[in-house]
Structure formats: structure tokens, C-alpha cells
């Protein structure tokens, strides 16, 4: 992963990046890894992927040794929703990636209710919103919400408090009318993560 990061760092060094994110999730016998890359646009994503395809060091040190460990890989291209901006956490902590599969119809159907539910949690102050992303390619009507917390315990205490807050309960009750499924993951950044 370190080699991949250095190759991407070289390729991205001279760019100002816009809020378009490609996420790649790979599963293997013992783990589930998620990697997020930020690209300026689709042409930039293509340029970086072509550079990696030609990078022998990356292939030999990362790709080839890890192929045997991957039994499945999924990729999505998402964009930052218009009402959110990426926020850098105040210090080290843990992250929660909440993934919501919403009913077909897109943000025009469920966006306002979803936004109210997210902001109801933000307004309690127990967690920090890092970003909200909606799929452009991959499984459609999927929304990823990345949260920061000081620790897994502070997250659990905050969630317990939120379940008793009538404003959160009302906002979530409205949003859940458009929900198909939800999955939450606790993420701990690697030593080389920019979120560390």
C-alpha cells in the first residue's frame, strides 16, 4: 500500500483536487480493506491508472504479491454531495463508514430527508462529519457517510445518546422511509494514511 500511495502522490503532486472520490474495497481470507482516492475528474483518474499500469515498481512490490490475498474487489466512483464539504478531523481517532443503500430515485427523492438525518447527528456534537458521498458508478443510490470519533467508545456513547434525542429520532424515522439497507464499519487508519 505504501508503494501505491507514493505512486499516487507523484501523479497527483501538481494538481488541485476536486471532490470526486473512487473507492476500492478488496476482501481476502482475513480482512476487508478499503482505499479511497481523490481525483480531479475522470480524465485525471484515467491518467493515474495508466501511470500505475506502467509502474513496474508498483506492480512488483504491491500488486503481484497481494493478488493471492484478494478474492474479490469492488470499485465505485462517488462524488461529494453538494451540501457537504470534506472536513479534516481535529486529531487522531477512529472513523466510521456508514453505507446506505437508498431506494431508487436518487437525491431528488430522498436527499432532503437524508441530509436532515445526517445533520441531526452532527448537531448533537458527539461525532464529526468528514464527508458524504453519493455513487456515480457502481451500485447506484448508495451513499457513504464518513464520520470521525475520538475513540470507538466515544462513538458508542454518542450513538446511545442520539437514540434518545427526539430530533435525531424524528429525522432518522423520516429518512428510513427511503432506506433499503445500511452497513457500518469501524475504520482504523494505516500508519501512512493522510487521515492518521
Amino acid at each position: 500500500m505504501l508503494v501505491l500511495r507514493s505512486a499516487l502522490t507523484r501523479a497527483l503532486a501538481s494538481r488541485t483536487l476536486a471532490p470526486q472520490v473512487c473507492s476500492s474495497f478488496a476482501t481476502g481470507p482475513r480482512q476487508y480493506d478499503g482505499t479511497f482516492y481523490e481525483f480531479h475528474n475522470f480524465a485525471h483518474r484515467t491518467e493515474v491508472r495508466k501511470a500505475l499500469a506502467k509502474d513496474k515498481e508498483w506492480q512488483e512490490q504491491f500488486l503481484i504479491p497481494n493478488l493471492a490475498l484478494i478474492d474479490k474487489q469492488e470499485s465505485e466512483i462517488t462524488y461529494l454531495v453538494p451540501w457537504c464539504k470534506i472536513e479534516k478531523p481535529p486529531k487522531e481517532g477512529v472513523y466510521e463508514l456508514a453505507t446506505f443503500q437508498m431506494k431508487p430515485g436518487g437525491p431528488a427523492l430522498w436527499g432532503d430527508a437524508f441530509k436532515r438525518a445526517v445533520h441531526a447527528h452532527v448537531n448533537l456534537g458527539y461525532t464529526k462529519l468528514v464527508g458524504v458521498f453519493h455513487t456515480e458508478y457502481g451500485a447506484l443510490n448508495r451513499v457513504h457517510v464518513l464520520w470521525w470519533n475520538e475513540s470507538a467508545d466515544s462513538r458508542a456513547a454518542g450513538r446511545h445518546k442520539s437514540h434518545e434525542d427526539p430530533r435525531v429520532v424524528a429525522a432518522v424515522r423520516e429518512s428510513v422511509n427511503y432506506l433499503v439497507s445500511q452497513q457500518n464499519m469501524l475504520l482504523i487508519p494505516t500508519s501512512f494514511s493522510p487521515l492518521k
Side-chain angles (χ1 to χ4, degrees), residues 8 12 15-23 35-41 44-45 48 78 80 86 133:
L8 281 173
L12 300 174
R15 300 197 181 270
T16 301
L17 300 178
Q20 180 180 56
V21 177
C22 175
S23 59
T35 308
F36 301 89
Y37 306 103
E38 193 171 1
F39 296 103
H40 181 67
N41 54 35
H44 181 225
R45 179 179 180 268
V48 170
T78 63
L80 189 65
I86 295 178
F133 307 90

Side-chain angles (χ1 to χ4, degrees), residues 19 21 38 80 84-88 129-131 133:
V21 177
E38 193 171 1
L80 189 65
C84 184
K85 63 180 185 171
I86 295 178
E87 295 286 342
K88 185 171 172 134
L129 179 63
V130 177
F133 307 90

